[in-house]
Amino acid sequence: MERIERIHSLHRILSASRYPVTVQRLQEDLECSRATVYRDLAYLRDYLMAPVVGNGEAGFRYDHSEGERFELPGLWLSSEELHSLLAAQQLLVRSGGGVLSNALAPLQHRIEKLLDEHAGGRRVPVERVRVIPHRTRKLDETSFRIVATAVLDRKQLSFEYRARSTDEQTRRLVSPQRLTHYRENWYLDAWDHNREALRSFAVDRISAAKLGEQPAQDVSDEQLDSHLASSYGIFSGTPKGWATILFSPKAARWVADEHWHSQQQGRYLPDGRYELKVPYSAGRELLMDVMHYGSDAEIVEPPVLREQARALLQLALSNYDR
């Protein structure tokens, strides 16, 4: 056990003890020598100003009049926790397209300093963990910061939004509810004051964002999940029905382990195929994911979704008939 961990454990033991704790018990709990226990007690008392009282005969404890108010200063984590936090920060930067790198840089420097000071200079080799971004979109860091600030400060937000499906640009005034990271990209869930409805906006399509002075109108998590997470995909809405998809035995080995929706229903059929059922509203995203499996997937129900898949496949095939 390294020093930072022993100090943290020592503080926890003394804080929880109503009576003096013997040096022998501290040796056993901290897994160290008698001399190390005395050095750690002295460090806790003299450098961290902890209210340690007692002696080697009767044991040690915190002064009852001061112990409840004392807290360890700074960020006190074990070396494993520090390594994990540093690794998570690195992974977030690498997978986030760099949009959070500047904001997280001070945290990274602070963690690295703590590791150098308290963990003997050891570091976690995060470069050995590969994160390969896939189909990420260019994201304006200024817009992202303003959107994130509006979400966290609970302020209304106005911005220009250019819809990807129609390329139409409109000015929106919203009460931001939450930021969602979905399929390598960021989305803003918000109450649209112009439409008087909940909407999801791709942050990479937001420009000229401006933080408002008015407080955001809060929407309950239940209402958000009911409208935005009850159907398949990021732009889901209220479910209109259930889609049934059959996957070949080869694809079944993959699909059975995949999470498509929180309410999905799946089962293996006697012939080795896999049947998956998911609630959906707009079929565009579901069709895209099913067609990803090509001939190994077949939409069975509803008929309208099956016909949409057939039309898309025929249109795609026509590109190769020229």
Side-chain angles (χ1 to χ4, degrees):
M1 187 181 295
E2 297 177 1
R3 188 178 199 183
I4 185 173
E5 299 171 68
R6 292 200 312 273
I7 294 296
H8 188 84
S9 297
L10 179 58
H11 168 68
R12 185 172 61 251
I13 293 170
L14 297 179
S15 297
S17 300
R18 298 178 57 187
Y19 303 101
V21 184
T22 65
V23 174
Q24 179 62 36
R25 180 194 157 186
L26 291 176
Q27 282 183 251
E28 296 172 356
D29 290 349
L30 301 178
E31 299 177 350
C32 63
S33 67
R34 185 179 183 87
T36 298
V37 169
Y38 278 106
R39 283 197 298 269
D40 288 346
L41 284 167
Y43 182 85
L44 191 62
R45 180 190 60 214
D46 299 335
Y47 289 92
L48 301 180
M49 307 302 292
V52 178
V53 295
N55 55 59
E57 296 294 330
F60 295 88
R61 62 176 175 83
Y62 277 165
D63 187 322
H64 294 314
S65 62
E66 300 289 338
E68 292 184 0
R69 295 196 296 268
F70 174 74
E71 294 182 0
L72 288 177
L75 179 62
W76 285 82
L77 300 172
S78 68
S79 59
E80 287 81 4
E81 291 169 332
L82 285 170
H83 281 126
S84 298
L85 188 56
L86 179 59
Q89 187 270 346
Q90 287 285 336
L91 293 176
L92 183 58
V93 168
R94 293 182 184 185
S95 62
V99 70
L100 301 179
S101 57
N102 293 334
L104 291 174
L107 174 61
Q108 178 182 0
H109 296 156
R110 173 62 173 151
I111 295 172
E112 289 174 345
K113 184 178 180 181
L114 284 171
L115 284 171
D116 289 338
E117 292 178 351
H118 300 289
R122 290 188 295 128
R123 58 179 293 273
V124 58
V126 294
E127 69 278 0
R128 293 188 176 275
V129 179
R130 297 185 68 197
V131 178
I132 304 175
H134 176 62
R135 300 178 66 180
T136 56
R137 302 171 191 154
K138 184 178 180 180
L139 191 62
D140 179 70
E141 185 168 347
T142 300
S143 294
F144 181 86
R145 287 176 179 272
I146 295 174
V147 170
T149 299
V151 171
L152 298 178
D153 287 354
R154 312 304 305 125
K155 294 292 186 181
Q156 290 186 12
L157 177 71
S158 62
F159 52 82
E160 299 286 340
Y161 190 72
R162 186 175 294 278
R164 181 169 280 105
S165 58
T166 64
D167 205 37
E168 177 187 4
Q169 182 166 307
T170 56
R171 187 73 185 175
R172 303 295 186 97
L173 175 65
V174 305
S175 284
Q177 303 301 315
R178 59 191 181 191
L179 272 173
T180 301
H181 191 254
Y182 177 73
R183 297 194 179 195
E184 306 266 8
N185 295 290
W186 290 96
Y187 297 87
L188 170 67
D189 297 335
W191 176 262
D192 190 325
H193 292 281
N194 304 109
R195 273 70 172 175
E196 295 187 347
L198 286 169
R199 293 288 187 270
S200 286
F201 302 93
V203 178
D204 62 286
R205 305 297 288 179
I206 289 176
S207 62
K210 183 177 180 181
L211 192 65
E213 296 293 334
Q214 295 297 319
Q217 175 182 328
D218 287 332
V219 179
S220 68
D221 289 338
E222 292 77 11
Q223 187 176 351
L224 287 170
D225 291 338
S226 174
H227 185 80
L228 299 173
S230 55
S231 294
Y232 190 85
I234 187 66
F235 303 107
S236 53
T238 303
K240 295 179 180 178
W242 284 74
T244 302
I245 310 108
L246 290 181
F247 294 90
S248 70
K250 182 178 69 174
R253 296 192 295 268
W254 298 86
V255 179
D257 293 330
E258 292 178 350
H259 176 82
W260 286 52
H261 191 271
S262 60
Q263 299 177 34
Q264 69 185 43
Q265 301 173 11
R267 67 185 180 113
Y268 277 100
L269 300 180
D271 59 3
R273 292 182 299 169
Y274 190 79
E275 179 187 81
L276 177 68
K277 294 184 177 182
V278 294
Y280 83 101
S281 176
R284 181 181 59 184
E285 190 173 349
L286 179 57
L287 285 168
M288 177 182 66
D289 288 339
V290 172
M291 293 176 68
H292 165 77
Y293 280 93
S295 61
D296 288 313
E298 175 191 357
I299 295 177
V300 179
E301 292 180 342
V304 63
L305 194 64
R306 181 180 176 89
E307 286 303 314
Q308 289 175 2
R310 184 198 302 273
L312 287 174
L313 289 170
Q314 289 177 340
L315 184 61
L317 184 61
S318 68
N319 292 330
Y320 296 91
D321 292 335
R322 298 171 185 173

